Amino acid sequence: LESLDQLKKLSLEVYGWNDESAKQIFSSLPASLEQLELRGNHDIGSDGWKSLDERLKGLKLLKKLNLAHCHVTDEGAKEIFSSLPALLEELEIQNNMHIGMD
């Protein structure tokens, strides 16, 4: 993905990744990304979401992030939400029943 430095939209919905595959993909997301669709990747665990958190810090152009139906936990949500880019306009997190309402 690193060679796709002008890529603006990436849809990786319902791929069934685990933590290791997610870490590999997330670490190579191009900085030009404006839209990232991850809907339905519910096999990614806390290590995978932590790697997305780390990469989000470099995705300053990201405007839309879809994490619906991903089984994100409270811990994962806290990490991801703390790194959301300032330009983000849309965040989809519906049906993540592991995120508490505290």
Side-chain angles (χ1 to χ4, degrees), residues 12-78:
L12 300 168
E13 298 181 41
V14 194
Y15 274 81
W17 294 339
N18 60 24
D19 282 345
E20 287 307 309
S21 55
K23 285 193 264 187
Q24 290 175 354
I25 292 293
F26 293 158
S27 67
S28 64
L29 292 173
S32 59
L33 221 57
E34 294 180 6
Q35 185 172 339
L36 180 58
E37 301 281 342
L38 296 171
R39 172 188 273 276
N41 283 292
H42 46 76
D43 292 330
I44 299 173
S46 60
D47 287 343
W49 294 123
K50 184 174 182 176
S51 68
L52 176 62
D53 163 59
E54 292 166 0
R55 185 62 188 118
L56 280 173
K57 295 170 185 163
L59 299 179
K60 299 186 185 312
L61 301 176
L62 193 67
K63 295 179 182 176
K64 179 180 180 183
L65 178 60
N66 186 340
L67 298 173
H69 302 277
C70 285
H71 294 196
V72 177
T73 63
D74 280 339
E75 179 182 326
K78 287 176 187 173

